[in-house]
Amino acid sequence: MKTLEEHPNGHHESQAAPDEVAVSSPSRQRAELPLLGMHCSACAVRIEKALSKVEGVENANVNFATTRATVQYDPAQTNPNQLREVVKKAGYDAIIAAAPASNGAISNGEGGQSLADAENAAREAEYRDQKTRFLTALVLTVPVAVVAMGGHLSPALERLFNFPGRAYFELLLTAPVLFWAGREFFTGAWSAARHRAADMNTLVAIGTFAAFLYSVVATFAPQLLAVASQGHGGHGNAPAGVYYEVAAIIITLILMGRLLEARARAQTGSAIRALMGLQAKTARIEREGRELEVPLEEVRVGDIVLVRPGEKIPVDGQVISGQSSVDESMLTGEPLPVKKAPGDSVIGATLNGTGSFRFKATKVGSETVLQGIVRLVQQAQGSKAPIQKLVDRISGVFVPIVIVLAILSFMVWFVAAPVENRLTLALMTSVSILVIACPCALGLATPTAIMVGTGRGAQNGILIKGGEALETAHRLTSIVLDKTGTITLGQPSITDVVPQSMDKTELLRLVASAESGSEHPLGEAIVRAAKEKGLLLASVESFGAIAGHGIEAQVEGHQILIGNAKLMRERGIAPDEATASHLADEAKTPVFVAVDGKFAGIVAIADPVKGGAREAIERLHHLGLEVTMLSGDNRRTAEAIAKQVGIERVFAEVLPEGKADKIKGLQSEGKVVAMVGDGINDAPALAQADVGIAMGTGTDVALEAADITLIKGDLRGVANSIALSRATVKNIKQNLFFAFIYNVLGIPIAAGVLYPFTGSLLSPILASLAMALSSVSVVTNALRLRGFKIERGR
């Protein structure tokens, strides 16, 4: 019977199925490469280009914020080891994964250590090294700065610090700051130069080395600078002073900035770490008549798991005995505990309440809901929004442009400045331009916001596929809601039996007998009602489904026809449409029944509206969205449901194959459309929509089915997901605005455009401080998304 909505099986066709991106396809595999040594978006662009050129690589994506490369490749042509070598040749390093372990966890092949553990160890070592170099630079730079700049505070200090050999003292302390603490800038710049590229390391290396070289020449051969400054015929003194402190302070401040940035960026991944930390470490199982406590990795599908009060549920499964309430808020965002009894599903990593129960493990290792969520969020955080592609192109040409501007500035100041200090002014302006123009803030603007936004969603049961879904979701103008299972509970039950020519009980018995082989929700509701009344069902002699209209069956020699009014009329049977109309006005679905070619009565079925549905739709309207309901049910019933929840536009009596056409129709009106369905049964419409939003509950959620997946089947999650996407895109725009304005204003100021008005130039030291803090500011702004408020309902 198909009088409500026929649901085809399938998946969202515009997204890759899990097997297409997992490391399991024999012809196409995906490698996740955590990267070491990246310091700016230009680094990410260079690694991405290098990986993309490898034979057999279909697609390479490098995310600067997550410091990971995602590579899809043909294993017959290349492998992760070869990819790592390519990364190394580009001047960086990668941590690679070997074969999957027995439970699906990834091992890096080094003594059984997991990839996550190996990555954490490498990141910690990298951070410790960076901290050591910063502290060393700080200790050496402070005396250089005091000696070089302290004399400006008073004449007494000037006499104290102007001792013989002062320049040699500064040189002695500055050299290790540049070439040991700051060695990464020079090795990075050299590596970039070998690949005919330039990045942030290039800017810092050129700027600091220029100041250092100038100071060395001023220390050992000042007459050369005098000649260079005044011309070949000049006889003046060498330009006053050396600038060791400039080189040392720039290196120290940038190292400090990278340290602060690394700490701030670590917080952007806190959602993933929190999710992974939810997992239990051990499980209590029954095996061979004994109760054993085993590591989580040793739990197998089919094991009987025991859960005591207050314990974490280790894996996914189905309760077989006992009962309790389980706190699922860590995965669904739902604050109220959910009751569990035999037959109910439980999700690994959720927290048991005061009861105890036994359950059968159905999913373990990488197959659990938690691991699916972690995997999906990692993919989302590693993805790029369309706007990021433009930023990457800008970053790719940004550094060469800055170098050209620095050279031009040097030339202009060398020609236009007073003769006695033109070399000094030219050098200082060019160094300031080089160190203030950092592409890091630009590169971090988009991915950090995506990381925090998708992480915040995951903590509240909203799984967003990635940057493209986020960027499209914020532009939505129209929301189409599937009725059954989205607005309503999707659990219909019989409300009325209206006989025409036979006893009510007999009518229900015949209809239930005919529907006993049906898997349709309405058929199941009829059979369930008959069994609850204790009716003995007859065997079905023949059965046939009439797509989109109903069924026909032979029971005890009677020809039974069950379906909608159109089906009755097509068979020459006059249904009681007045009674059906009355039932439909009450949001009940009338199911017409004919026995042996004669109208026999109506069975009315209702699917209750979900709690909070009206509130959610009010919020969607408040967000400025047009809300439309899509249903295969008859128009009167559909409109009655729509009226209950506050929806004005309804597409009713739509067959499954027509749902995608309705979405196309809205798109042809110039609307950006989201389709909200169950993630499996509404696949064509979800695929056609600009954004597909799948709703599910517990372990039934279709993690790979749509652009956005709501773990909990609550319609309020739709409004939350759209509001979150808008907040995230707004944050991205703020970050990009800040990054662009910083450079648009910073570079001219560093070049000296304010000199005619202020009589002074921007100090390279202040320029380096501003550059160091710009990236930290962008990341800090992105972290504000962690406070995004999720509406729970009234």
Side-chain angles (χ1 to χ4, degrees), residues 1-7 483-485 488 490-495 508 511-530 543 548-551 562-564 587-592 603-608 631-634 637:
M1 182 176 62
K2 311 289 181 184
T3 55
L4 252 183
E5 297 174 76
E6 180 169 324
H7 301 296
K483 180 176 78 68
T484 303
T488 64
Q491 298 173 341
S493 58
I494 288 182
T495 59
L508 179 59
V511 173
S513 297
E515 290 281 10
S516 60
S518 172
E519 294 181 355
H520 192 280
L522 296 189
E524 291 176 354
I526 293 170
V527 172
R528 186 168 59 249
F543 178 91
H549 298 290
I551 68 163
I562 306 171
N564 55 26
K588 298 172 182 177
T589 299
V591 179
F592 298 95
V603 176
I605 299 174
D607 186 7
S631 174
D633 212 341
N634 70 76
T637 303

Side-chain angles (χ1 to χ4, degrees), residues 96 136 141 259:
I96 63 168
T136 302
T141 297
L259 207 62

